[in-house]
Amino acid sequence: MLQATEDQPTPAYRRVLLKISGEALMGDQGYGLHPPTVQRIAQEVKSVQDMGVEICMVIGGGNIFRGLQGSAQGMERTTADYMGMLATVMNALAMQSALEGIGVYTRVISAIRMDEVCEPYIRRRAVRHLEKGRVCIFAAGTGNPYFTTDTAATLRANEMACEAIFKGTKVDGVYDKDPVKFADAVRYDTVTYDDCLAKHLKVMDASAIALARDNNLPIIVFSLDEPGGFRGVLAGQGTYTRVHH
């Protein structure tokens, strides 16, 4: 049973999946991995694990290779998507290294078998890792082309019986339009899955939102750029948007 203390408030959820884009790892660079940014995100994850929360992660690959952009340049879509999946494995290994460097036991679990590099995805084994307090980073998407890492995150969150998906972005929630481009953009405190789909709000892609809706899995959108933001939201503080029925 999780107990609140003066330093450690009782978290709102006991098992969560953190979804971040590959671009979140590149800092202010235009490409690749920015080690200080990877370290900072690892510290955020550790601060939440220290609250007694079990954590899974899914990281995109857009900082290294984005399948859709590859296919737009004449590459066959399936090949481009597989290359994108391999990019997510590289990001997952970088995050594993950063987490283990600060004492967090971590497993990278791939939907595509590469046993010399990481574990294959076996659901019961992954659940056991979580129960033992290890962070599980799910890599290579769903293992299928035409599915995004958003969909992979929702799929794995359901399979792991997570209580919520935390979508870390550059802004502090879901807005009616891009707050970077429009000063009059309005932030939602809560929004329904159906509104996200009908209004084309950029939370996750449509198949990911539909899968979350069908399994009543809330999506919490918050700013990963805000120091302590992940821990704060789990402690019931900070600014975020909750997507639900």
Side-chain angles (χ1 to χ4, degrees):
M1 192 70 182
L2 299 175
Q3 295 293 328
T5 66
E6 202 170 319
D7 296 327
Q8 297 287 15
T10 301
Y13 302 99
R14 292 162 190 270
R15 181 182 291 175
V16 301
L17 186 141
L18 174 63
K19 166 63 171 69
I20 59 176
S21 67
E23 286 87 348
L25 302 185
M26 66 188 187
D28 53 7
Q29 302 173 151
Y31 181 84
L33 289 156
H34 183 238
T37 301
V38 178
Q39 293 285 348
R40 182 180 64 79
I41 294 171
Q43 288 286 355
E44 295 271 330
V45 172
K46 184 180 190 302
S47 72
V48 168
Q49 195 195 47
D50 288 345
M51 298 169 76
V53 178
E54 296 170 357
I55 306 168
C56 323
M57 294 181 72
V58 169
I59 307 171
N63 56 320
I64 299 170
F65 187 87
R66 183 173 286 284
L68 279 171
Q69 289 174 358
S71 64
Q73 293 167 20
M75 188 179 289
E76 185 203 9
R77 172 70 189 270
T78 51
T79 300
D81 279 359
Y82 280 124
M83 290 173 70
M85 289 179 218
L86 295 177
T88 71
V89 177
M90 295 173 72
N91 284 339
L93 291 171
M95 183 57 65
Q96 178 185 44
S97 177
L99 283 165
E100 293 193 334
I102 54 175
V104 178
Y105 292 107
T106 308
R107 295 289 185 272
V108 174
I109 301 171
S110 171
I112 297 173
R113 290 194 76 103
M114 46 184 86
D115 296 352
E116 291 78 11
V117 174
C118 49
E119 287 187 15
Y121 176 69
I122 299 168
R123 188 183 71 83
R124 285 175 179 270
R125 184 190 288 178
V127 169
R128 190 74 184 114
H129 287 320
L130 291 177
E131 290 169 351
K132 287 183 174 180
R134 298 164 185 158
V135 171
C136 288
I137 308 176
F138 296 113
T142 65
N144 301 290
Y146 296 95
F147 288 90
T148 64
T149 50
D150 278 348
T151 306
T154 314
L155 175 65
R156 295 292 185 238
N158 280 311
E159 289 181 294
M160 294 295 106
C162 291
E163 295 170 4
I165 295 177
F166 278 70
K167 175 80 184 277
T169 68
K170 292 192 177 297
V171 292
D172 58 356
V174 180
Y175 286 77
D176 61 347
K177 49 191 168 184
D178 188 344
V180 177
K181 295 177 183 172
F182 301 97
D184 61 342
V186 177
R187 189 183 62 80
Y188 300 100
D189 282 330
T190 63
V191 64
T192 67
Y193 303 111
D194 289 337
D195 277 347
C196 285
L197 293 169
K199 297 177 181 177
H200 301 288
L201 300 176
K202 294 191 184 304
V203 179
M204 288 179 153
D205 64 67
S207 55
I209 292 170
L211 185 58
R213 178 192 62 192
D214 293 348
N215 293 278
N216 200 24
L217 179 69
I219 304 167
I220 313 295
V221 183
F222 72 105
S223 173
L224 200 63
D225 287 352
E226 186 71 33
F230 187 25
R231 186 181 186 281
V233 174
L234 270 154
Q237 302 153 1
T239 308
Y240 56 91
T241 299
R242 188 171 191 270
V243 183
H244 60 108
H245 274 300

